[in-house]
Amino acid sequence: MLEIKNLHAKVASSVEEEGTEILRGISLTVNPGEVHAIMGPNGSGKSTLSYILSGKDGYEVTEGSVTYNGEDLLDKEADERAAAGIFLAFQYPVEIPGVATMQFLKTALNSQRKARGEDELSTPDLMRLVREKSQMLKVKPEMLKRPVNVGFSGGEKKRVEILQMAVLEPTLCILDETDSGLDIDALRVVAEGVNALRSPDRAMIIITHYQRLLDYIVPDKVHVLSKGKIVNSGGKELALELEKDGYAAYEVDAA
Amino acid sequence: MADLDTIERVKEIEVDKYKYGFETDIESDLAPKGLSEDVIRFISAKKGEPEWMLEWRLDAYRRWLTMEEPSWAKVDYPKVDFDDLYYYAAPKGFDENGPNSLDEVDPELLRTYEKLGISLKEQEILAGVRRQDEPSKLDDQGLNIPKGAVAVDAVFDSVSVVTTFKKELAKAGVIFCPISEALRDHPDLVKKYLGTVVPVSDNFYATLNSAVFSDGSFVYIPPGVRCPMELSTYFRINEKNTGQFERTLIIADKGSYVSYLEGCTAPMRDENQLHAAVVELVLLEDAEIKYSTVQNWYPGNAEGKGGIYNFVTKRADCRGDNSKVSWTQVETGSAVTWKYPSCILRGDNSSGEFYSIAVSNGRQQIDSGTKMIHLGKNTSSRIISKGISAGKSSNTYRGIVSAHRKATGARNFTQCDSLLIGDKCSAHTVPYIEAKTPTAQFEHEATTSKISDEQLFYCKARGINEEEAVALIVNGFARDVIQQLPMEFMAETQRLIGISLEGSVG
Amino acid sequence: MSIAIAKTPAEEVYADLDNLPDGFDDIRKQAANAVAKSGLPNRRVEEWKWTDLRRIVDQAYPPAIGGDVAAEKLDELSALSPFGNIVGSRIVFVNGVFDETRSQLPKNISISMLASADKVGFSLRDGDVIDALNLAYASDGVIINVAKGVKVEKPVELVFLTAPDQPATITTRNVIRLEEGAELTLLETHAGHNEAYVTNCVTEISIADNATLNRVRLQEDGENAIHLSNTAANLGQEANLRDFTFTIGGQTTRNQGFVTFNGENAALNMSGSYMIAGKQHADTTLVINHAVPACESRELYKCVMDENARGVFQGKVIVARDAQKTDGQQSANALLLSEGAEFDAKPELEIYADDVWCGHGATSGDLDKNQLFYLKARGIPENKAKALLIAAFAAAAFDEIENEDVREAFNELAQGWLQRREV
C-alpha cells in the first residue's frame, strides 16, 4: 500500500546552508489494515516525515521514493494526495478564521469525491453524516458552526481532527503527535475514535514521542526513528522497552 | 481618589531636576557669528581639511540656501535664527591636531567629564574595571583590554577633546577617532563613504550639517573583526548661542561587528540651542552594528524656556547581504526632538531593528520614529516604540515601513505603545505602511493607555511610594526596549526614566 | 509653494463659475472659488499622498445634470442592486436627477428633493475639495427626515445610476436627519456604465440622541469611473451609527468619512471592504473626532487587491482634551493576491486625553501558507482553497453589517467576484 524506499530529505530554503538533511534514508512498508507506530526523540525527523508524506511545501526530497497503491506519491499536490486517501492529523491544527467547520468539511469531502469521480454529497446527507460522527467524538454541534479551530481548546482541536478523519474516511491515516496536550480523558475519547476507524483496508501511522497513546491504540509494528533513520523495528513490546530505557541508546548508535 | 491626586500633582510640580545643567567656565575660540561661505572656510581651515572637503561643504551650503525648513512634524517652536548662531566653538588652544595626550588638556575640561561620570583616563578605566574582573592578560587578539571597558571619544562643542584606547584598538585594525582626524589620516575611506548614506541634500538639517559639521566620530571595523570593546562618543554642548553639528560615520566591513554607544548633555540655559547631527552607518556583507543612544540634552524648564533643539538625521545602509543593524534609543532630553533613525535594507536577508523609549515631560515635544525601507529579498525589520508623555508635553511616533516590488519575502513587525501620565499631555501615532509586494508580511499594532489607578494602588498597598510606583510601572512598560540596551546603559536608563518623570510625580 | 502652475482641463471647468447650477447661489460661489483657489490636490498634499487626484482626473469632466439614458441601460444598471427583496422603498437618481418613475417613496418619513428645496443650511468644510466641488455643483439629492421616535421598519434604498453621454461630473448631495430615538436602515447602490465619468456624492448625516442609523453602501460604478464620496456625520448622546461600504466597482474610488461625537455614550462602527483588480484604486480616508467623553468607535477594513490594484487606507482618530473614557479601535487588513498589487496604510492616533483605550492594527500580506496547506491536506484543490480563504477574509468585514440579508447578498457578490477572477 505505502512503500517508502531510502527516503532522504532536507529543508528546501535559499537561506539555510546546504546539507541540513533531516531524513537520511528511511525505508518502510505499510500494508492495508496495519497500524505502525513511529517513535523517536525530538528532532529525529518524525514530523518532517509526516509533512513529506502529506505534501507540505518547503522540503526537498534528495533521494529515494514513496509510492502509494503503486503510484508515485511525491509527484502529487497535497490535495491530490488527500483525494487518494491520505489524511494527516496535524500536531498543531491550523486556525482558519471566517470558515465554519461544517462548511470546511463539506468543501473538503466534496472536493475529494469529485476528484475521485464520485457524486457530491447533498448538504442534508452530509449534516447527517457529520452529526453521527460528532456524537461519537463528543464534538458539540455548535462547535461545527464555529470557524475551523479558532478558539478551540487543545483537546477540542484534536477531537475535530479525528472527526474530520471519520468523515473523510481516508485509507491511510497519519497521526502526528495526536496525544500531545491531551489529558487522560481527552486521550481516551480520541483513541476510541481512532480505534473505531481501524479496518482491514485502512492503514495508520502513529507518530508519537511517548508510549502512552499506544496503550490505547495498540500498534502492529513499532519503529524507532533517530537522526533521520529507522534504527530499530519490532512489535508493540518495543514501545514498552523505550518507555523504560528512553532513547539514549539510540541517539548514540545513530550518530 | 488619592491616586487621582497623584496625577494632579504630576501637572503642578517643576521639572527642573536636570542633573547635568552646570556650565564649564572655559575660554573659547569662536567662528564669527552667523553663516556664510567665509565661516565655512574658517571651519574647514581650523580642521586643516583637504580642498575637496571644503568644496563639498560649500556645495552643501549653496544647496541649503535654496531649501525650506520642514514643517510636517508635530512640533511647534520659535524659528531658529540661523544668523544668530556660532557654528564653531572650541576651547582655547585647540589647533588642528588637538592635544597629544591628556596632559595637554585643560584640567577644567577633564573635571567636566568627571562630573558627568565619564572617565577619560585609560589607566583609571582599566583599574576600575579590573578590580571587579580577572587580572590583566592579553586576549586572543593580543590586546590588553579587560571586559567591560569602553573607549570614549569626548566631543566638547565643536571639537573632540580626546579619544581613549585608540592605540589598543588600532592593534585590532579598528580605526576610532574624531572625524576631523580621519579626514587627515584616512581621507580615502572618508571620501568613499561620507554622504553615501545621507546624501548632502537629504533634508534641511542634514544639508546644514554637511556644510558646517565640526566634529564627531569616525569608526572603521576591518573585515572579520569583532571590535574588542564597546565604542562610545560623549557629546557635550557648553558654549552659549552655539550650535553643535556633529557628524558620525561608522563603516562595518564584511563580517565585522561593533557596538557603539552615544550620550549627550548640555548646560541649563534660557535660550534654545541647536543640535543638528548626521550619523551614517555603512554595513557590508555579514556585518553587524548595534547603535545605542541615551539622549539627555537639556530639556528646558517647566515653562518651556530654553532647551536643545535636537534635529538629527540618522541612517544605516545595509548594503551587504545578511547584514544587521540595530538602533536603540532612549530619548529623555531636548526641548524639541525631530529624529528618525532609519534602515535601508538593501542586501538580501539583511535586517533592521528600532527600539525606542521616548519620555517627554514639562513642555517637551518629541516627534520621532523610524523608517524601514525594504529593498532586498527576505529582509526583516522590527520596531518596538514606547512613548511616555507627562506634564504638558507632546510625544509623537512617526514611522514608515515600506517594501518595494522586488523586496520579496519582506517581514515587519511594529509595536507602538503610548502611555499618558496626566491629562495635559498628548500622544500621537503616525505610521505609514506601504506594501508593494504580496509576499511582504507586515504587522502593525499600536495602543494608548494610562497608568491605571489600580496599578498605582497595588504598588502603594505594597509600600511603594507614588513616585517610585510610577517609575516602576513606566520601566515595566518600557521593558522590551530596556532589555535591548548594553549593560552600561541599562541601569542608567532606568534611573534616567525615574528622574525624567520626577517632576511629574512629586 | 506659491509657484503658479498651469490649471489642468478639469481644474479649468471646475473653476468656471458659468457652469454653476441655479439655487444656493452664495454657498455655490464660495465653494467654486475655493476650488478655483486650491485646484485639485496632488500627492504633495499630505491627505492625498497616495491618491493623486490632480493626475487621476485626467481630462475635463464638465459638470452635467440629467440627460437621456436608454431604458434598457437603466434596467441593466438597476439590476446590479442586490437589495431588491430587502428594501421597502427606493429613491432613484439618474445622472444626478431624481427619477420618479423608477422610485417607490417610503411612507412615514419626510422626504424632499434638494433640487426643489429653497433653503438648506449648508456650510463649506475647510480644505475638503470633494465637499467644495459637491457644494458648487450638486444638482439633486434626497433630504430625509425621520421624526422623533419613528422606527422605520423596512430599509430604504438610494440608487445612483450614472451614464452621461460624454465624460462629465455628476454631483449629488443628500441630507439624512434622525430625530431623537428614530431608527432607519439606509442601503445605497452606486452603479454606472463603463465610459469615463466622475461621480461625486456627499451625504450629511445628523443623528440625534438615542437615534440609530444603519447605512450600507455598495459601489459598483463602471470600470472607468472616478467615484468621490464624503460621509459627514454628527452623533448625539447615545446615538448609533453603523456605516459600511463595499467597493467593487470604479476605476478610482475615494471615500472620505468625517464623524464627530457631540454627545456622550454614542457608538460608531465604520467599516468596509474592497475587492478590486486590474488597475483599480480604492482609498478610504477617515477622521473620527472624539470631541466628548465616553464614546466608542470601531473601524474594520478588509481589502482584497488582485493584479495591479492598489488599496489605500488612512484613518485618523482624534481624542480631544477632555474626551476621557474614549474607546477607539481601528483595524485595516490587506490581502494582496498578485505581484503587482499594493496596499498603503496610515492609521493615525492623535490623543489629548489620558484615560482612554485606543489602538490600531494594520496588516498586509498574501494568503497564509499554513492555512492553504491545511485545506489542501483535506483534499481541497488549490484554487478552491484560495477562494475559500479570500471569501472568509472579506466575510469578516461583512460581519460588521447588522442586516443578515445584506450580509448574505455581499457574500454572494464576493463569490461572484472570485468566480470572475477565476480564483
Side-chain angles (χ1 to χ4, degrees):
Chain A
M1 186 180 205
L2 178 74
E3 193 83 43
I4 305 174
K5 281 187 185 152
N6 190 30
L7 184 67
H8 288 253
K10 62 177 189 177
V11 171
S13 168
S14 56
V15 186
E16 301 281 322
E17 66 268 33
E18 288 296 307
T20 47
E21 208 170 50
I22 302 172
L23 301 185
R24 302 188 304 151
I26 288 186
S27 296
L28 178 69
T29 304
V30 180
N31 297 309
E34 290 180 352
V35 174
H36 289 239
I38 296 181
M39 302 183 69
N42 293 329
S44 58
K46 300 191 301 282
S47 285
T48 300
L49 179 62
S50 74
Y51 285 142
I52 286 176
L53 291 178
S54 54
K56 188 172 179 159
D57 288 342
Y59 298 96
E60 194 185 325
V61 173
T62 49
E63 215 182 318
S65 67
V66 181
T67 58
Y68 189 64
N69 293 332
E71 284 181 48
D72 183 0
L73 191 68
L74 299 176
D75 242 15
K76 291 182 155 78
E77 284 288 308
D79 54 310
E80 294 168 336
R81 298 183 198 198
I86 291 180
F87 180 95
L88 170 64
F90 284 60
Q91 182 180 2
Y92 304 108
V94 180
E95 298 186 0
I96 308 182
V99 177
T101 306
M102 193 57 144
Q103 180 199 2
F104 169 75
L105 271 171
K106 185 184 168 193
T107 313
L109 183 62
N110 282 335
S111 295
Q112 290 195 22
R113 292 178 73 108
K114 204 169 145 194
R116 290 194 292 258
E118 299 162 12
D119 287 340
E120 295 191 6
L121 215 58
S122 72
T123 305
D125 284 349
L126 181 98
M127 302 262 280
R128 209 168 301 128
L129 176 69
V130 173
R131 216 168 286 145
E132 178 195 318
K133 308 280 185 190
S134 314
Q135 275 166 9
M136 184 177 76
L137 285 152
K138 301 197 164 60
V139 173
K140 292 186 199 108
E142 54 267 28
M143 264 180 78
L144 300 169
K145 291 184 192 152
R146 283 158 57 188
V148 182
N149 292 321
V150 177
F152 291 10
S153 71
E156 285 173 335
K157 281 181 182 168
K158 295 295 169 79
R159 287 211 302 272
V160 172
E161 289 291 291
I162 305 304
L163 168 65
Q164 291 178 31
M165 194 162 102
V167 171
L168 298 172
E169 301 188 304
T171 46
L172 175 65
C173 308
I174 304 165
L175 280 69
D176 187 5
E177 307 270 1
T178 293
D179 50 336
S180 71
L182 294 187
D183 63 29
I184 199 73
D185 293 329
L187 186 67
R188 202 170 284 138
V189 173
V190 166
E192 277 168 19
V194 173
N195 283 329
L197 288 168
R198 285 180 83 152
S199 89
D201 44 8
R202 178 173 294 135
M204 291 187 183
I205 297 175
I206 296 171
I207 291 172
T208 182
H209 186 95
Y210 301 104
Q211 183 269 343
R212 192 172 72 143
L213 180 65
L214 305 181
D215 287 341
Y216 298 92
I217 309 171
V218 181
D220 300 307
K221 289 190 177 141
V222 174
H223 311 276
V224 182
L225 193 64
S226 175
K227 306 208 167 149
K229 281 183 182 167
I230 291 179
V231 292
N232 198 2
S233 296
K236 62 187 176 204
E237 66 287 346
L238 182 55
L240 295 167
E241 278 173 36
L242 281 172
E243 182 75 0
K244 207 171 90 212
D245 303 335
Y247 292 110
Y250 295 106
E251 290 185 270
V252 175
D253 289 347
Chain B
M1 275 325 280
D3 304 315
L4 285 176
D5 291 345
T6 307
I7 306 281
E8 283 303 309
R9 234 180 298 160
V10 167
K11 293 169 272 172
E12 293 159 11
I13 284 153
E14 293 280 319
V15 207
D16 311 37
K17 301 220 170 174
Y18 192 65
K19 304 285 190 280
Y20 308 95
F22 63 90
E23 185 181 344
T24 307
D25 189 13
I26 197 163
E27 262 190 276
S28 291
D29 278 333
L30 296 169
K33 208 176 209 181
L35 191 51
S36 65
E37 294 202 2
D38 284 346
V39 168
I40 289 164
R41 285 177 212 281
F42 173 93
I43 295 170
S44 189
K46 271 275 177 198
K47 303 274 173 192
E49 284 175 356
E51 185 63 24
W52 65 265
M53 194 63 235
L54 174 63
E55 282 310 315
W56 201 82
R57 288 173 178 277
L58 290 172
D59 172 53
Y61 174 64
R62 286 164 202 148
R63 293 187 198 209
W64 179 75
L65 288 174
T66 68
M67 297 171 86
E68 281 181 41
E69 232 178 312
S71 57
W72 42 261
K74 218 174 173 56
V75 291
D76 183 21
Y77 55 92
K79 284 267 171 275
V80 177
D81 182 353
F82 290 97
D83 288 326
D84 194 34
L85 285 183
Y86 291 107
Y87 288 84
Y88 181 88
K92 261 212 158 44
F94 265 72
D95 61 8
E96 74 253 33
N97 291 317
N100 286 317
S101 73
L102 276 186
D103 303 338
E104 295 177 22
V105 176
D106 188 326
E108 186 61 26
L109 269 179
L110 294 181
R111 269 196 294 281
T112 301
Y113 285 91
E114 266 165 38
K115 274 168 91 175
L116 294 169
I118 312 291
S119 178
L120 300 178
K121 296 177 182 163
E122 290 181 20
Q123 287 316 310
E124 278 179 13
I125 295 171
L126 294 179
V129 176
R130 209 165 274 140
R131 245 175 270 134
Q132 306 145 15
D133 222 60
E134 294 298 296
S136 159
K137 59 178 183 218
L138 297 183
D139 68 6
D140 52 6
Q141 286 173 307
L143 302 177
N144 182 12
I145 299 171
K147 253 193 275 174
V150 179
V152 182
D153 182 14
V155 177
F156 191 85
D157 289 332
S158 303
V159 293
S160 170
V161 175
V162 71
T163 307
T164 62
F165 293 103
K166 260 195 311 202
K167 289 199 190 85
E168 288 297 320
L169 288 166
K171 285 183 201 159
V174 172
I175 304 171
F176 178 45
C177 64
I179 198 154
S180 47
E181 190 179 312
L183 271 162
R184 291 190 300 272
D185 298 350
H186 312 282
D188 295 344
L189 269 179
V190 179
K191 199 171 180 179
K192 184 172 174 190
Y193 291 108
L194 188 74
T196 62
V197 183
V198 178
V200 168
S201 54
D202 188 79
N203 67 68
F204 183 81
Y205 304 115
T207 309
L208 176 63
N209 175 288
S210 299
V212 303
F213 75 85
S214 36
D215 233 327
S217 301
F218 176 83
V219 177
Y220 173 77
I221 316 289
V225 170
R226 193 178 166 86
C227 187
M229 66 198 299
E230 306 229 339
L231 307 183
S232 77
T233 305
Y234 196 92
F235 295 100
R236 175 79 179 166
I237 299 178
N238 187 63
E239 191 60 37
K240 274 182 219 160
N241 292 323
T242 304
Q244 191 177 54
F245 304 93
E246 95 258 6
R247 183 119 194 164
T248 295
L249 175 59
I250 302 179
I251 300 140
D253 213 322
K254 290 179 186 172
S256 67
Y257 168 85
V258 64
S259 167
Y260 179 90
L261 324 175
E262 179 191 58
C264 351
T265 57
M268 289 160 72
R269 294 190 187 285
D270 284 350
E271 77 271 18
N272 295 108
Q273 282 182 285
L274 177 62
H275 173 252
V278 171
V279 175
E280 297 181 278
L281 311 185
V282 178
L283 295 95
L284 303 185
E285 252 169 71
D286 300 306
E288 182 177 349
I289 299 179
K290 259 180 92 78
Y291 193 107
S292 314
T293 304
V294 172
Q295 185 268 102
N296 189 23
W297 294 118
Y298 176 53
N301 72 7
E303 276 72 50
K305 202 166 175 60
I308 302 288
Y309 292 164
N310 191 34
F311 301 153
V312 173
T313 304
K314 292 185 170 182
R315 196 172 301 155
D317 189 353
C318 288
R319 276 179 207 175
D321 293 352
N322 310 312
S323 54
K324 182 178 177 194
V325 67
S326 176
W327 295 104
T328 305
Q329 62 172 28
V330 178
E331 301 285 318
T332 58
S334 297
V336 181
T337 297
W338 180 99
K339 179 184 174 192
Y340 315 90
S342 304
C343 304
I344 313 285
L345 303 170
R346 207 184 295 276
D348 292 348
N349 311 315
S350 60
S351 72
E353 295 171 336
F354 175 75
Y355 295 98
S356 171
I357 300 171
V359 185
S360 60
N361 197 357
R363 301 261 183 181
Q364 281 177 280
Q365 304 174 61
I366 299 180
D367 195 301
S368 183
T370 185
K371 295 185 207 175
M372 294 290 176
I373 311 296
H374 294 258
L375 301 174
K377 292 186 173 54
N378 298 315
T379 50
S380 62
S381 62
R382 185 177 175 83
I383 300 171
I384 308 288
S385 165
K386 305 281 179 177
I388 298 121
S389 15
K392 294 178 175 170
S393 69
S394 157
N395 200 327
T396 301
Y397 169 84
R398 186 184 303 274
I400 297 178
V401 176
S402 88
H404 287 244
R405 286 253 178 276
K406 288 179 181 157
T408 51
R411 294 276 178 282
N412 168 264
F413 176 76
T414 300
Q415 177 78 49
C416 271
D417 297 321
S418 307
L419 190 70
L420 295 109
I421 303 176
D423 59 1
K424 296 279 184 287
C425 55
S426 60
H428 315 297
T429 316
V430 192
Y432 296 78
I433 299 150
E434 301 182 336
K436 291 181 168 57
T437 166
T439 57
Q441 298 287 348
F442 285 177
E443 232 180 286
H444 170 101
E445 276 175 43
T447 65
T448 301
S449 55
K450 69 162 193 165
I451 294 179
S452 75
D453 297 344
E454 287 80 9
Q455 286 172 320
L456 271 181
F457 173 70
Y458 189 81
C459 291
K460 283 164 73 181
R462 296 286 174 273
I464 302 164
N465 72 35
E466 288 160 355
E467 187 177 301
E468 274 177 63
V470 169
L472 189 77
I473 293 166
V474 170
N475 271 303
F477 170 78
R479 188 166 164 266
D480 291 350
V481 178
I482 292 173
Q483 280 177 334
Q484 296 300 324
L485 289 164
M487 283 300 285
E488 291 79 357
F489 276 12
M490 224 185 257
E492 167 76 5
T493 297
Q494 290 180 332
R495 203 179 56 86
L496 208 54
I497 289 174
I499 292 171
S500 302
L501 293 170
E502 222 167 71
S504 75
V505 238
Chain C
M1 288 282 164
S2 54
I3 306 155
I5 26 175
K7 279 193 162 67
T8 64
E11 285 172 335
E12 292 279 1
V13 300
Y14 288 147
D16 184 353
L17 297 184
D18 292 341
N19 289 329
L20 296 181
D22 296 332
F24 309 108
D25 292 345
D26 290 351
I27 189 81
R28 274 199 205 284
K29 279 199 191 108
Q30 193 192 330
N33 280 325
V35 176
K37 201 172 156 213
S38 70
L40 297 175
N42 62 18
R43 66 193 160 78
R44 272 180 285 276
V45 177
E46 177 63 23
E47 292 76 16
W48 296 85
K49 185 180 166 64
W50 290 311
T51 302
D52 188 330
L53 192 66
R54 194 165 190 269
R55 194 182 50 76
I56 287 161
V57 185
D58 56 346
Q59 55 171 311
Y61 291 90
I65 301 171
D68 287 338
V69 187
E72 305 93 76
K73 189 74 208 172
L74 290 179
D75 291 343
E76 183 196 319
L77 293 177
S78 300
L80 288 172
S81 163
F83 304 132
N85 301 321
I86 303 171
V87 297
S89 57
R90 118 177 336 156
I91 301 164
V92 181
F93 293 88
V94 175
N95 287 340
V97 174
F98 174 51
D99 185 332
E100 200 166 357
T101 56
R102 288 182 177 268
S103 303
Q104 300 98 46
L105 294 182
K107 298 169 181 79
N108 353 326
I109 316 178
S110 148
I111 302 261
S112 57
M113 292 301 150
L114 185 83
S116 47
D118 41 318
K119 209 172 161 83
V120 185
F122 289 127
S123 62
L124 187 59
R125 175 185 296 281
D126 205 26
D128 177 359
V129 73
I130 293 181
D131 192 55
L133 278 172
N134 188 284
L135 265 178
Y137 296 107
S139 52
D140 209 346
V142 67
I143 300 172
I144 295 181
N145 196 84
V146 186
K148 187 170 171 180
V150 173
K151 294 178 171 38
V152 183
E153 215 170 286
K154 280 253 179 182
V156 176
E157 186 183 17
L158 306 182
V159 181
F160 300 90
L161 306 178
T162 311
D165 53 11
Q166 56 185 6
T169 300
I170 301 297
T171 310
T172 46
R173 191 173 189 97
N174 309 300
V175 179
I176 314 294
R177 289 193 203 106
L178 271 68
E179 294 181 11
E180 250 177 77
E183 274 182 36
L184 174 68
T185 296
L186 196 63
L187 308 179
E188 285 180 29
T189 302
H190 298 255
H193 69 179
N194 283 333
E195 306 301 318
Y197 62 86
V198 175
T199 166
N200 178 328
C201 184
V202 169
T203 304
E204 290 187 9
I205 296 171
S206 66
I207 305 176
D209 298 354
N210 296 301
T212 296
L213 175 65
N214 278 303
R215 178 168 179 251
V216 180
R217 292 193 302 152
L218 170 64
Q219 200 265 85
E220 293 180 294
D221 269 301
E223 62 188 30
N224 289 301
I226 300 170
H227 178 103
L228 308 176
S229 92
N230 257 13
T231 296
N234 286 299
L235 274 65
Q237 199 169 312
E238 290 183 48
N240 240 301
L241 172 61
R242 262 177 188 273
D243 186 293
F244 191 95
T245 303
F246 185 19
T247 301
I248 300 189
Q251 164 63 248
T252 303
T253 301
R254 166 86 166 194
N255 287 320
Q256 302 189 143
F258 302 93
V259 180
T260 303
F261 289 99
N262 291 329
E264 298 189 10
N265 298 310
L268 165 73
N269 182 313
M270 200 152 207
S271 300
S273 178
Y274 313 157
M275 292 184 99
I276 53 176
K279 287 187 168 175
Q280 279 182 285
H281 178 118
D283 173 331
T284 297
T285 296
L286 308 177
V287 180
I288 312 298
N289 188 355
H290 284 265
V292 296
C295 292
E296 178 188 293
S297 61
R298 290 283 177 278
E299 288 100 57
L300 175 66
Y301 284 79
K302 296 271 181 186
C303 310
V304 181
M305 272 71 66
D306 198 3
E307 295 170 338
N308 295 305
R310 185 176 184 192
V312 174
F313 175 82
Q314 306 186 98
K316 186 189 238 180
V317 174
I318 304 170
V319 179
R321 180 63 74 210
D322 45 10
Q324 300 294 3
K325 308 281 177 201
T326 288
D327 175 353
Q329 303 296 326
Q330 194 181 75
S331 174
N333 308 115
L335 189 55
L336 303 184
L337 299 179
S338 94
E339 220 36 67
E342 180 174 343
F343 182 63
D344 302 303
K346 185 186 174 196
E348 214 179 325
L349 292 170
E350 202 177 310
I351 300 191
Y352 298 92
D354 62 335
D355 190 6
V356 299
W357 188 60
C358 283
H360 62 229
T363 61
S364 175
D366 53 2
L367 290 168
D368 184 305
K369 288 187 180 56
N370 287 325
Q371 293 179 351
L372 212 51
F373 170 62
Y374 191 74
L375 291 168
K376 282 169 76 179
R378 294 292 173 263
I380 301 171
E382 176 137 343
N383 267 3
K384 210 173 199 172
K386 281 185 175 170
L388 202 63
L389 291 175
I390 297 164
F393 178 84
F398 303 153
D399 283 348
E400 302 299 317
I401 301 169
E402 208 155 63
N403 187 308
E404 197 183 331
D405 297 333
V406 174
R407 279 204 302 270
E408 203 45 51
F410 278 9
N411 276 317
E412 268 173 42
L413 280 170
Q415 286 300 338
W417 186 86
L418 288 165
Q419 272 158 23
R420 282 198 302 282
R421 307 236 51 72
E422 289 173 3
V423 172

